[in-house]
């Protein structure tokens, strides 16, 4: 049994003008001790997926799912308040994740009080211990400092300490290193990796950065316009990406380009999904698109045992079409 199982998750926002289908039929699972990377451009629905799983979507958002099970229990029945300590989140911007008028120690101790029933000296000692665990020097002194007295990297370490104070089984990291410079980013990634191995944590790691995904994830799900369009173990996805969108994302990583000086880009933007899909949402940007792509919504096809892609190129019901070219010129070879 997977630690977290999500089936057919839909998160919609009804506005006066339209209904935005921010997450549109997403299914995935995470095993204990595993890191699932959720990757995609801004606006693809990654963060809304995480917030939906954590019960953090505010009005006018509506979250519906065929099932969301944590340790086999239905999250809707257990209630998110009950489960929240077991599911913690680290947000992108540590300064906005912390309360500026409380000390770092106060904020860790609050989580310890709520989730581990620790108070007084026991809570302070544990807060200091957690700050040491996340690599804050002179933790006994710094526990009484305020967030503005911490550097950006130290603040993110403190946010991770708050998340760990909940004693979680699943840590959701929502772009946890995007606001940090490259050196600090590497330190935070190392820290998360170390903590995960020590605590046997499951991690849902959200990022737009394929380089970070390659470094951190065991498996990867690629998200586009509210849908998961490819899922595979990280090495398979990087060696043999099957969905044209994934190929485009990988081709745009510096160092992977075979020819030319300029990195290739995927022209256009992620569309906002406002209606039930009746075609491939990537079609307007896809170098492989053929006529059926504008009339049929692609379902996930297993291209190998543990590798799925939602693309009509792999659906035997449709005639083989020569790709229009473009992405192959960069990543090499049509692998249908
Ligand atoms: S279904 Fe068609 S448009 Fe969509 S990714 Fe596959 S080839 Fe491209």
């Amino acid at each position: 049994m997977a630690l977290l199982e999500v089936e057919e998750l839909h998160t919609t926002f009804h506005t006066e003008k339209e209904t935005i289908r921010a997450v549109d039929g997403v299914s995935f699972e995470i095993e204990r001790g595993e890191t699932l990377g959720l990757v995609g451009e801004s606006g693809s629905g990654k963060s809304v997926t995480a917030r939906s799983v954590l019960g953090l979507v505010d009005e006018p958002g509506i979250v519906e799912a065929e099932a969301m099970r944590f340790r086999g229990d239905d999250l809707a029945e257990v209630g998110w308040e009950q489960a929240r300590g077991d599911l913690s989140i680290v947000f992108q911007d540590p300064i906005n994740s912390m309360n500026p008028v409380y000390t770092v120690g106060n904020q860790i101790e609050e989580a310890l009080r709520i989730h581990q029933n620790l108070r007084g000296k026991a809570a302070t000692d544990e807060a200091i211990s957690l700050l040491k665990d996340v690599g804050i020097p002179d933790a006994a002194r710094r526990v009484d400092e305020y967030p503005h007295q911490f550097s950006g990297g130290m603040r993110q370490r403190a946010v991770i300490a708050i998340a760990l104070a909940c004693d979680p089984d699943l840590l959701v990291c929502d772009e946890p290193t995007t606001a940090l410079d490259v050196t600090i980013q590497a330190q935070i990634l190392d820290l998360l990796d170390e903590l995960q191995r020590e605590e046997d944590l499951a991690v849902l790691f959200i990022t737009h950065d394929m380089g970070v995904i390659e470094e951190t994830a065991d498996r990867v799900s690629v998200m586009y316009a509210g849908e998961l369009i490819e899922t595979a173990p990280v090495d398979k996805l990087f060696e043999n990406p099957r969905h044209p969108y994934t190929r485009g994302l990988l081709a745009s990583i510096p160092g992977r380009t075979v020819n030319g000086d300029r990195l290739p880009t995927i022209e256009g933007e992620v569309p906002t999904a406002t209606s039930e899909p009746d075609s491939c949402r990537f079609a307007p940007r896809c170098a492989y698109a053929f006529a059926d792509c504008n009339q049929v919504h692609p379902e996930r096809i297993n291209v190998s045992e543990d590798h799925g892609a939602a693309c009509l190129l792999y659906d035997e019901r449709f005639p083989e079409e020569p790709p229009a070219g473009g992405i192959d010129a960069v990543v090499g070879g049509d692998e249908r």
Side-chain angles (χ1 to χ4, degrees), residues 243-245 280-284 286-290 293 296 298 310-313:
H243 196 285
Y245 177 61
C280 175
R281 286 180 175 148
F282 185 58
C286 181
Y288 291 84
F290 52 101
C293 302
V296 179
C311 173
L312 299 185
L313 286 172

